[in-house]
Amino acid sequence: TQLLEQSPQFLSIQEGENLTVYCNSSSVFSSLQWYRQEPGEGPVLLVTVVTGGEVKKLKRLTFQFGDARKDSSLHITAAQTGDTGLYLCAGAPGDAGNMLTFGGGTRLMVKP
Amino acid sequence: NAGVTQTPKFQVLKTGQSMTLQCAQDMNHEYMSWYRQDPGMGLRLIHYSVGAGITDQGEVPNGYNVSRSTTEDFPLRLLSAAPSQTSVYFCASSQGGAGYEQYFGPGTRLTVT
């Protein structure tokens, strides 16, 4: 079983601050996805990174895939209250299997 | 399109009871999966299917059965409910498998007493 560890588990910051969430594993993934989940709803995809070293930007969110495809990070610049939610990373196996592995999640609260 | 729908939204069971959680998608996706979400543990894969007639076990399959008789439907059966199965259950579908965007349903919150 491939494991994905997310850190931190909880993060409470003021509006305008920057933050980084990490997703680490000892396994290689063919791709890594980041999801955001609101209370009472299912996760919604933010981005997929596929190539080692890849950087993708989505407005104030920057996603990076590690060179060895074992880790990823999500950086939010100038956080807003609307960024509050649960952020989940999920890795697709490097052997082209069909089991998606999720990290434990980072619960972000952005205070006004 | 309705996307992925799940019923019921909430359910309370007594220990030992059985029930079926329903999941349907109208996007003609071949890949469907079931996850459970417990506090602080993210989502854990229970079972998945790569197409009608094909199912496979995920990370935590014990106590659950699935079948996939059509592309659209992927029900999850709890054979004999236990308090450890208290969780929020999510069904998801995608066009191509684990590496593709997963579309999630709204979830079923199950409590076993």
Side-chain angles (χ1 to χ4, degrees), chain A:
Chain A
T1 303
Q2 298 180 304
L3 295 175
L4 267 172
E5 293 190 7
Q6 273 188 250
S7 60
Q9 275 189 289
F10 302 97
L11 197 51
S12 179
I13 60 172
Q14 295 294 136
E15 200 169 29
E17 292 184 2
N18 301 333
L19 67 115
T20 302
V21 175
Y22 299 93
C23 181
N24 294 300
S25 177
S26 58
S27 303
V28 175
F29 295 99
S30 61
S31 64
L32 202 133
Q33 302 165 15
W34 284 92
Y35 290 83
R36 181 161 164 257
Q37 186 179 18
E38 304 273 7
E41 299 179 7
V44 176
L45 182 72
L46 293 172
V47 79
T48 301
V49 285
V50 178
T51 307
E54 182 177 5
V55 176
K56 278 193 174 178
K57 293 194 175 185
L58 189 67
K59 296 183 182 176
R60 294 174 295 100
L61 278 61
T62 302
F63 304 85
Q64 184 159 8
F65 202 11
D67 290 341
R69 290 185 287 129
K70 293 183 180 181
D71 55 85
S72 182
S73 63
L74 157 61
H75 182 79
I76 301 180
T77 303
Q80 300 177 356
T81 55
D83 295 327
T84 293
L86 179 66
Y87 290 82
L88 296 155
C89 63
D95 60 357
N98 268 310
M99 288 178 53
L100 191 62
T101 300
F102 276 83
T106 294
R107 191 165 297 279
L108 172 65
M109 176 170 291
V110 182
K111 295 178 284 189

Side-chain angles (χ1 to χ4, degrees), chain B residues 11-30:
Chain B
Q11 182 71 49
V12 179
L13 290 178
K14 289 185 175 3
T15 297
Q17 287 184 317
S18 63
M19 80 158 295
T20 299
L21 306 186
Q22 301 292 345
C23 174
Q25 52 93 8
D26 62 359
M27 296 174 283
N28 202 33
H29 285 168
E30 292 294 330

